[in-house]
């Protein structure tokens, strides 16, 4: 009996420190060490606010920018491209400053094969050209609706209005590459206004640069971190999975899985929208409805890059290979990783990308089942004699509790007011930043900008400047001081203003009828 109790006591002594964890007080908590978190922490440090702690649930920094060894090379299974090759783009500026290797994507360098393996590249270019006019018309429609304050619509509706309604496999493949490839979802759920009028394209251009640097895309985030974090800096804490965030007017406390508690005056939440939407972290009290509504409006795209290593190369030499299947999005886009500017000849790596429902389906099945599907497609294109791969890598972003998806895609109707909700802090203490909270949504530079924006807001407040206050939903009412029912607290005019009539004994709304009456009175006076 004594030995039994002794064993229990020893077990308790061993587990007690793990359960208890540490208790730490700081000025600012940065929750997450992806691009947004590191950008925020660096901006805080640059402003002179050095009293902060970064909590990261995994054992590394970078978030969805993640390098892994595969097939004798370092590959990126998350972010691959720099979108918007301009010195004004901070991501490109960093990539260029470190001479990171890669290549400018060239969609003219393409081979297209159909479901019987025949090369149909000329037909592809014909159908692609037929999308030019509808695509330009949809863009013009977006510009017009945005300028005149008209409501958003699905991109699909705009394309149909412009005369594009794909029914044939080649048309669907062209649309898939033209739209799904960027948004990560079909035009049916993507926003016309936000999707067509893209700040990244407007400001930084349309060029894309695919990285194959052996240091990995994450190198730029590593270097950002090293610019303000010393070796073994206690302000960065890895393997700290956050389970709950308690917030209020006096500050924020984050509790981690190991029982540690971190308290601060302010906190910056940089979790992906997928994590926030899945309620994987408990907020105490719950986030206000306006914030939760804004979070749930953002869509989390799934973009799965499947790498294959073969004993020898058997595929086309062009950079891109498109497979036109009867089934939309079924292993459609392939990349020859031995194309010029990528990996050397003999690397024998092939990459195929799946999105949305096809990616979700593949995540749920075994790698063996996926390999069987992949090889069936490749043997349709290149014949039964091609070899099996020696290795396959299938990321599972949606199943990963630290990500729950790949990047943000704004759905229909996220207007400036919804953007305000996404960016507004809760109680002036709990701030949110990431690739889904700003107009450069879905891009790495979007996360960079959002982290810096929030850090600057906190540093300004701490330094005695303006502090951002709790969001207040728009209040409808009469905003005209000359009206009888003027509401000084109204922020949006709802058309309810009441004005005296000419005889002074009654009021009527200032509407079309009142406008007509006013014109009639004015005309009568002129006669």
């Amino acid at each position: 009996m004594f030995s039994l109790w002794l064993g229990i006591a020893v077990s308790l002594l061993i587990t007690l420190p793990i359960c208890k964890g540490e208790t730490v007080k700081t000025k600012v908590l940065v929750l997450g060490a992806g691009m947004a978190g590191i950008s925020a922490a660096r901006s805080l440090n640059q402003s002179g606010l050095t009293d902060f702690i970064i909590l990261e649930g995994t054992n590394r920094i970078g978030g969805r920018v993640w390098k892994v060894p595969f097939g004798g090379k370092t590959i990126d299974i998350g972010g691959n491209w720099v979108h918007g090759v301009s010195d004004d783009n901070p991501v490109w500026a960093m990539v260029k400053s470190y001479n990171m290797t890669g290549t400018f994507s060239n969609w003219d360098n393409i081979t297209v094969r159909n479901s019987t393996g025949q090369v149909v590249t000329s037909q592809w270019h014909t159908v692609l050209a037929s999308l030019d006019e509808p695509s330009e018309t949809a863009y013009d429609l977006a510009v017009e609706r945005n300028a005149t304050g008209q409501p958003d619509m699905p991109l699909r509706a705009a394309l149909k209005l412009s005369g594009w309604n794909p029914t044939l496999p080649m048309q669907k493949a062209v649309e898939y590459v033209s739209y799904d490839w960027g948004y990560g979802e079909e035009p049916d759920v993507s926003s016309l206004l936000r999707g067509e009028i893209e700040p990244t394209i407007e400001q930084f251009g349309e060029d894309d640069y695919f990285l194959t640097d052996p240091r990995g895309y994450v190198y730029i985030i590593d270097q950002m971190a090293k610019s303000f974090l010393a070796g073994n800096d206690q302000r960065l804490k890895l393997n700290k999975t956050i389970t709950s965030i308690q917030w209020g007017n006096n500050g924020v406390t984050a509790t981690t899985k190991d029982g540690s508690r971190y308290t601060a005056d302010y906190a910056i939440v940089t979790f992906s929208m997928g994590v926030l939407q899945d309620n994987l972290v408990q907020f105490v009290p719950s986030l206000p409805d306006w914030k939760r509504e804004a979070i749930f409006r953002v869509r989390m795209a799934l973009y799965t890059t499947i790498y294959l290593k073969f004993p020898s190369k058997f595929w086309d030499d062009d950079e891109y290979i498109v497979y036109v299947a009867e089934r939309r999005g079924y292993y459609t886009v392939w990349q020859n990783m031995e194309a010029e500017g990528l990996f050397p000849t003999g690397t024998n790596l092939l990459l195929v990308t799946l999105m949305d429902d096809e990616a979700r389906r593949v995540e749920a099945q075994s790698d063996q089942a996926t390999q069987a599907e992949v090889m069936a497609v490749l043997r349709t294109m290149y014949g039964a004699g091609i070899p099996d791969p020696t290795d396959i890598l299938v990321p599972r972003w949606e199943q990963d509790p630290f990500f729950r998806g790949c990047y943000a895609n704004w759905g229909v109707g996220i207007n400036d007011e919804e953007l305000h909700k996404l960016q507004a802090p809760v109680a002036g203490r709990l701030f949110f930043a990431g690739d889904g909270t700003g107009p450069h949504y879905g891009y790495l530079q979007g996360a960079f900008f959002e982290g810096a924006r929030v850090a600057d807001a906190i540093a300004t407040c701490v330094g005695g400047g303006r502090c951002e206050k709790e969001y207040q939903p728009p209040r409808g009412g009469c905003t005209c001081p000359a009206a009888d029912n003027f509401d000084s607290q109204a922020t949006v005019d709802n058309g309810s203003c009441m004005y005296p009539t000419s005889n002074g004994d009654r009021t009527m709304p200032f509407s079309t009828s009142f406008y007509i009456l006013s014109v009639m009175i004015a005309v009568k006076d002129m006669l």
Side-chain angles (χ1 to χ4, degrees):
M1 180 63 72
F2 175 77
S3 60
L4 173 62
W5 283 109
L6 180 61
I8 294 174
V10 169
S11 298
L12 288 173
L13 287 172
I14 292 173
T15 58
L16 186 58
I18 298 175
C19 295
K20 184 179 179 182
E22 62 180 353
T23 300
V24 180
K25 176 73 170 71
T26 189
K27 193 68 177 178
V28 183
L29 283 174
V30 179
L31 307 181
M35 173 58 94
I38 296 301
S39 174
R42 189 180 72 157
S43 293
L44 289 173
N45 201 77
Q46 290 173 337
S47 71
L49 205 171
T50 60
D51 184 11
F52 58 81
I53 289 176
I54 308 168
L55 299 179
E56 166 58 42
T58 69
N59 62 356
R60 60 183 180 84
I61 69 169
R64 284 165 278 163
V65 182
W66 191 355
K67 69 175 182 180
V68 298
F70 180 80
K73 295 294 178 182
T74 297
I75 61 170
D76 285 296
I77 60 172
N80 293 107
W81 275 277
V82 180
H83 298 284
V85 180
S86 163
D87 289 343
D88 294 330
N89 181 347
V91 172
W92 172 248
M94 286 186 282
V95 165
K96 193 168 81 166
S97 70
Y98 297 125
N99 297 312
M100 300 188 75
T101 56
T103 189
F104 289 94
S105 295
N106 180 10
W107 275 100
D108 290 329
N109 188 6
I110 187 172
T111 297
V112 183
R113 293 178 177 271
N114 64 14
S115 58
T116 62
Q118 293 177 308
V119 175
V120 289
T121 310
S122 60
Q123 182 185 347
W124 165 271
H125 286 298
T126 300
V127 175
L128 183 63
S130 73
L131 178 58
D132 287 346
E133 186 174 343
S135 179
E136 291 173 4
T137 302
Y139 175 80
D140 292 341
L141 179 62
V143 171
E144 178 189 353
R145 294 180 76 88
N146 185 62
T148 55
Q150 296 181 63
D152 197 5
M153 67 167 66
L155 181 56
R156 167 69 68 212
L159 288 171
K160 285 186 175 181
L161 285 171
S162 304
W164 175 260
N165 187 26
T167 56
L168 301 175
M170 180 65 80
Q171 293 173 322
K172 292 179 181 179
V174 164
E175 179 186 86
Y176 184 85
V177 170
S178 301
Y179 291 104
D180 299 42
W181 182 258
Y183 300 124
E185 296 186 294
E186 292 190 35
D188 304 69
V189 298
S190 293
S191 161
L192 170 67
L193 298 187
R194 297 294 185 180
E196 288 295 282
I197 308 174
E198 266 195 53
T200 278
I201 292 177
E202 301 285 333
Q203 295 177 30
F204 308 135
E206 298 185 44
D207 287 339
D208 296 321
Y209 187 80
F210 190 94
L211 283 158
T212 54
D213 196 278
R215 294 166 291 183
Y217 203 166
V218 74
Y219 184 74
I220 64 171
I221 305 179
D222 287 333
Q223 294 304 112
M224 287 173 61
K226 287 179 181 178
S227 71
F228 66 91
L229 291 175
N232 199 30
D233 199 314
Q234 292 304 299
R235 291 180 298 173
L236 172 62
K237 297 183 181 293
L238 302 177
N239 297 305
K240 290 287 184 178
T241 303
I242 298 166
T243 56
S244 68
I245 300 171
Q246 187 171 350
W247 60 271
N249 293 327
N250 296 321
V252 181
T253 297
T255 302
T256 58
K257 191 175 181 180
D258 64 2
S260 297
R261 287 169 58 85
Y262 302 89
T263 301
D265 295 337
Y266 305 92
I268 303 173
V269 177
T270 70
F271 309 145
S272 77
M273 284 294 167
V275 169
L276 291 173
Q277 290 168 355
D278 271 11
N279 299 314
L280 295 175
V281 177
Q282 181 184 15
F283 287 88
V284 183
S286 295
L287 294 175
D289 288 345
W290 59 263
K291 176 60 80 173
R292 296 174 65 244
E293 176 192 343
I295 289 169
F296 288 133
R297 275 180 173 266
V298 179
R299 302 182 63 85
M300 197 67 182
L302 191 57
Y303 185 100
T304 301
T305 50
I306 302 172
Y307 282 86
L308 299 129
K309 171 76 172 181
F310 287 91
S312 60
K313 177 180 175 295
F314 54 81
W315 51 88
D316 296 287
D317 293 329
D318 287 320
E319 181 179 353
Y320 291 100
I321 303 163
V322 169
Y323 173 62
V324 180
E326 295 295 322
R327 181 163 142 190
R328 189 182 188 279
Y330 189 75
Y331 298 101
T332 301
V333 184
W334 300 75
Q335 287 172 262
N336 167 27
M337 298 307 292
E338 288 190 11
E340 185 177 356
L342 297 177
F343 293 130
T345 301
T347 301
N348 302 331
L349 290 183
L350 190 59
L351 168 62
V352 61
T353 302
L354 297 177
M355 285 158 270
D356 205 17
D357 288 341
E358 285 294 336
R360 201 163 284 112
R361 180 186 65 79
V362 162
E363 274 203 9
Q365 69 186 17
S366 67
D367 288 358
Q368 291 76 13
T370 300
Q371 179 172 313
E373 292 178 353
V374 165
M375 292 312 299
V377 170
L378 288 174
R379 285 179 173 130
T380 295
M381 289 196 285
Y382 298 110
I386 62 173
D388 285 328
T390 56
D391 205 356
I392 182 172
L393 190 154
V394 184
R396 287 176 169 79
W397 291 102
E398 192 168 75
Q399 294 183 20
D400 193 317
F402 291 110
F403 307 111
R404 288 292 192 252
C406 292
Y407 55 85
N409 180 35
W410 280 7
V412 178
I414 298 185
N415 53 25
D416 289 344
E417 190 59 36
E418 294 303 320
L419 173 58
H420 186 193
K421 292 178 185 177
L422 284 169
Q423 295 186 329
V426 174
R429 300 287 182 174
L430 192 59
F431 290 73
F432 292 79
D435 75 298
T437 63
H440 292 268
Y441 65 89
Y443 291 111
L444 192 59
Q445 56 263 27
F448 176 93
F449 288 137
E450 286 300 286
R453 174 188 64 81
V454 168
D456 289 345
I458 293 174
T460 299
C461 180
V462 172
R466 174 182 173 273
C467 296
E468 294 194 26
K469 297 180 180 179
E470 175 80 5
Y471 169 83
Q472 294 297 329
R475 174 171 169 172
C478 174
T479 61
C480 180
D484 287 352
N485 61 331
F486 169 61
D487 184 351
S488 61
Q489 297 184 12
T491 56
V492 177
D493 196 294
N494 63 3
S496 65
C497 291
M498 305 289 286
Y499 298 84
T501 60
S502 57
N503 59 21
D505 60 358
R506 64 188 181 87
T507 60
M508 66 182 300
F510 182 62
S511 58
T512 303
S513 59
F514 179 67
Y515 173 76
I516 294 172
L517 177 61
S518 300
V519 172
M520 291 175 63
I521 293 171
V523 171
K524 180 180 179 182
D525 290 342
M526 292 171 61
L527 296 176

